[in-house]
Amino acid sequence: MVLLFWLWTVVGLGLSYPVRAFELLDFNITEGSYLETNEIASQAEGALMVDLTLIQNAGAKGAVCLDGSLPGYHLSQGYGSGANSWLIQLEGGGWCNNVRSCVYRKKTPRGSSNHMEKQLAFTGILNNKAEENPDFFNWNRVKLRYCDGASFTGNGEDKDAQLEFRGKQIWLAAMEELMSKGMRLANQALLSGCSAGGLASILHCDEFRALFPESTKVKCLSDAGLFLDATDVSGGHSLRNFFAGVVSLQGVQASLPITCTSHLDPTSCFFPQNLISSIKTPLFIINAAYDIWQIQESLAPGAADPHGDWLQCKLNYAKCSPSQIEFLQGFRDNMLNVIADFSKSPQHGLFINSCFAHCHTERQDTWFSHNSPILSGKTVAVAVGDWYFDRAAVKAIDCPYPCDKSCHNLVFQK
């Protein structure tokens, strides 16, 4: 079933405007989320367009996309005060958990560099304008493309299906390439990512820190990567079942932190809630308390909602019934419980707003603009900058829906 939706961004007190239309396959998470595509990371008019660079020696190291093609990245060189500062943004785009979905993924930019855009617009945290990205505009800014389907952790292959699960090798090859391009000289570095890339930034955070000498200021940022091991509307665990497929199929276990796998099963160690307490590197977590991807694909996927009772609520939060809102408030409570111990560390940061959204750092309107979401008097960009540069501690947690009027809530209409 192919449906056509308009995506709308709803700003503040009900003001809305169309972003763009696009097709989606269905709500099946095996296809990868439409919320994590570059269709949403708005191709803003006037944005800097950055060329794709393929990692030419990656193939010899076994670091290839699902279809065996070379991995790639987009690099905008830093200058001035940012010449020796590096920002790595790990691309998101769901996961594939079985042969069928991974074979499908080979035909998309999330599984093959043959299908990747030759240029990407750098917006939000990647923006090159000081007035739109005040703290990172002149850094070396990198978008590492995502073509393995396991948040840069896979390590295996399926010869019969002609699938390469080489996410960990892609990570290593990309880091080696960027170090040779000048990142080894960095005096400041930030590893970031949105959604599946936000999960990857957590999984690889301490590894990233280990690349640099102790004198380098290194921190990590996870945007919309706090995927919870939550109970769905049928009482099941849809996302846990899905992640189990990813971990098993792609040989992820060897890439997971030993601090977790020493006492938990591999699938549990793919969930950030079981990782964040042991991360030594300063980490900033940005997440919507009502993460719309998790609502649609983890809490109320089609398989858990066979009668479609949640369909209208998933498309438009304003159409959720009181009992559905109560269920979603329970999801928010679960998120706050997960970050309770993490929030006590003075080196970590938080920005948990009560929005129906997914990813804040890649879109200009939610990163830094005249009407961006605000929490504790700060936009996301200011909060991240204050935390990274140690200007202020940031532990911002919003009051429950519907108190926040600055949200850019996502609404989907047929």
Side-chain angles (χ1 to χ4, degrees), residues 175-204:
M175 292 304 104
E176 183 178 340
E177 168 101 344
L178 295 173
M179 293 296 272
S180 74
K181 292 289 183 77
M183 193 169 74
R184 61 186 173 82
L185 302 174
N187 52 36
Q188 300 181 121
L190 176 62
L191 178 67
S192 66
C194 157
S195 197
L199 171 57
S201 69
I202 293 173
L203 288 164
H204 293 292

Side-chain angles (χ1 to χ4, degrees), residues 74-76 78 82 84-90 122-127 133 135-144 175 178 183 186 188-193 208 212 219-221 361 367 384 388:
H74 303 254
L75 165 63
S76 177
N84 289 321
S85 298
W86 286 75
L87 168 67
I88 311 301
Q89 179 80 350
L90 303 178
F122 270 26
T123 61
I125 197 171
L126 298 173
N127 197 303
N133 187 23
D135 284 312
F136 306 106
F137 71 97
N138 65 347
W139 284 32
N140 296 280
R141 301 171 326 283
V142 179
K143 181 82 162 189
L144 180 57
M175 292 304 104
L178 295 173
M183 193 169 74
Q188 300 181 121
L190 176 62
L191 178 67
S192 66
F208 186 68
F212 303 93
K219 297 188 178 184
C220 304
L221 167 64
T361 57
W367 173 247
V384 171
Y388 183 88

Side-chain angles (χ1 to χ4, degrees), residues 278-351:
S278 62
I279 290 177
K280 299 180 178 66
T281 309
L283 171 65
F284 195 100
I285 292 176
I286 303 168
N287 230 93
Y290 311 95
D291 185 289
I292 195 67
W293 189 93
Q294 295 191 64
I295 292 173
Q296 294 180 345
E297 308 291 11
S298 175
L299 298 184
D305 180 37
H307 302 295
D309 296 333
W310 277 79
L311 180 59
Q312 291 306 312
C313 176
K314 289 193 298 187
L315 298 180
N316 185 347
Y317 65 98
K319 296 183 179 179
C320 295
S321 69
S323 63
Q324 288 171 332
I325 290 294
E326 183 179 1
F327 185 88
L328 297 179
Q329 299 292 20
F331 175 76
R332 173 184 176 272
D333 291 343
N334 187 9
M335 184 178 294
L336 299 189
N337 288 335
V338 163
I339 60 173
D341 288 338
F342 172 87
S343 66
K344 296 174 183 176
S345 171
Q347 70 174 356
H348 298 320
L350 288 168
F351 191 101

